[in-house]
Every structure is written in structure tokens, then in C-alpha cells.
Amino acid sequence: MQKALVYALVTGCVNYLIIVLKIRKQKNLFPYFWSWWPDSPLSADKGNSTENPENLEVWVFKGNNTFTMVEDNGRTDYAQHTARTVFENSYDEKTDTVTLKIKAEGDLSVIPENRQYTVVFKDIDTPPVIRKFSKRAVSITINNPKPAEKESYRDRIINVFSRWNETTAKKDSAYKNFEGLEDINSLWRALYKAQLPEPVTDRIKEILSQ
């Protein structure tokens, strides 16, 4: 079986899971993971490599939680050649600060030397923070965080279509059902008319229900 990398971060009191899955590329495979987690960022590397990515985008929501990302060399001796990266996300109400700590442990040789983290605070009004991989703990702090402006239904649905592992022609055809619509009732009607795969439909349902 081809190696699968799972990058997950439990974020905030609502326990969002941010997942990156790198697996053997098969038609319609990736969307079937969407029914489990609200958002799915991808490796920021170009192409469809199954190697551990140099550029990793991490989505963070304000809250308190910890998650461990596990990587291996994708070949042999997984138990010995495994790195664990701990993401610890916290919010201090007294000082009004959000802090993300990133600490890698284990066999760090499986992590690309040029790894770069692009940390995106999804519900905070602040630009992405870029940090390079370090054998020492990496810490990022945001003081007095302000709420980010919520994306429109249109932009969030476009994002779902952009991540749907299907041909451009088929995605364009399906999106025509939603094109130009902003009213919530019209979007619900368009969703049922579109007859999309169940995981894509479920993800759009989550968006329209929020």
C-alpha cells in the first residue's frame, strides 16, 4: 500500500480537525475524506508528490488543544524512522493572546531540511505567519487577536469545488448550478439540483448550515 501522510491539528473548543492526506492518486478518492472534517488544506508543494512536503500549510483556529502529526520515510522500518510533530494551540484570556507551538521529535531525518510552515489563523484578522523548520521548538504568538471577516457562501463553495478531485470540465458544469447565487434558499435548491457526490454535498451542507 502506498504511504499515507495524515497531518492533523485539533483547533479550538469546537475541535476542528485540519487534515492533509497524501495518498496514491485515484479518481474521486480524496473527496471521500471530507465527510469527516470541515476543512482540508493541502501540502503547499507543487505537483502530486508523495514525499513528505517541504512546504506545509497549517490552519489554526482560536482555542486550546494539542495534536501530533506523524511522518515516516515511506519505505522501510516505519517504527524506527518516524518523526512526530506536536502542534500545541492555546488562547490565554487574561493576556488576550493566541499561541501556537510546533515541536518535532523522533527521527527528524524524515522531515525535509527546507521545510517551511505557513501558519494561517483562520478566524483571526492577521496575515499568514511563515516559519522555517527547526529542531528546537517554534513558537508563534498573536496579541489582541481580532475576529476575521467571514468568507461569503460563494467563496466557501468555490473553495470546495477547487479541492474536489475531478476534471475541470465536470467541476465547471456542476458549479453553474450555484453561479451568481447569494440567497441561502437559492443555494440550498442549487445543491439538491446539482446531484454532487455525497462527500461534496455533505461539505456544502455544513457550509450552508453555519
Side-chain angles (χ1 to χ4, degrees), residues 178-197:
F178 300 88
E179 195 167 11
L181 301 180
E182 294 289 345
D183 174 69
I184 186 69
N185 293 323
S186 297
L187 290 168
W188 274 110
R189 287 194 292 269
L191 176 60
Y192 290 113
K193 179 182 177 182
Q195 296 184 334
L196 299 167

Side-chain angles (χ1 to χ4, degrees), residues 24-149:
R24 181 180 302 158
K25 190 172 179 60
Q26 296 179 10
K27 187 176 182 181
N28 293 329
L29 187 55
F30 183 75
Y32 285 85
F33 293 95
W34 285 10
S35 58
W36 303 348
W37 301 286
D39 298 288
S40 300
L42 298 175
S43 160
D45 286 354
K46 294 181 180 180
N48 294 313
S49 171
T50 57
E51 296 300 315
N52 296 340
E54 289 189 354
N55 301 290
L56 185 64
E57 183 172 307
V58 181
W59 290 7
V60 180
F61 291 79
K62 182 178 171 183
N64 299 280
N65 227 313
T66 301
F67 196 85
T68 301
M69 176 181 76
V70 180
E71 298 174 271
D72 56 51
N73 63 10
R75 292 178 291 276
T76 58
D77 301 325
Y78 301 121
Q80 288 76 27
H81 298 288
T82 299
R84 291 173 171 78
T85 302
V86 179
F87 297 86
E88 182 181 356
N89 185 39
S90 63
Y91 173 64
D92 189 323
E93 293 185 5
K94 292 183 179 179
T95 60
D96 194 20
T97 57
V98 172
T99 303
L100 176 69
K101 295 181 180 179
I102 306 173
K103 174 63 176 175
E105 304 169 335
D107 183 2
L108 303 186
S109 67
V110 306
I111 299 177
E113 293 182 4
N114 297 323
R115 167 156 296 170
Q116 179 173 277
Y117 302 103
T118 299
V119 180
V120 180
F121 292 88
K122 297 298 292 182
D123 56 354
I124 297 175
D125 185 15
T126 189
V129 179
I130 298 175
R131 292 287 187 273
K132 293 199 176 289
F133 166 74
S134 173
K135 294 181 179 180
R136 303 175 65 180
V138 175
S139 182
I140 300 169
T141 300
I142 305 296
N143 297 309
N144 304 313
K146 306 300 180 186
E149 184 176 338

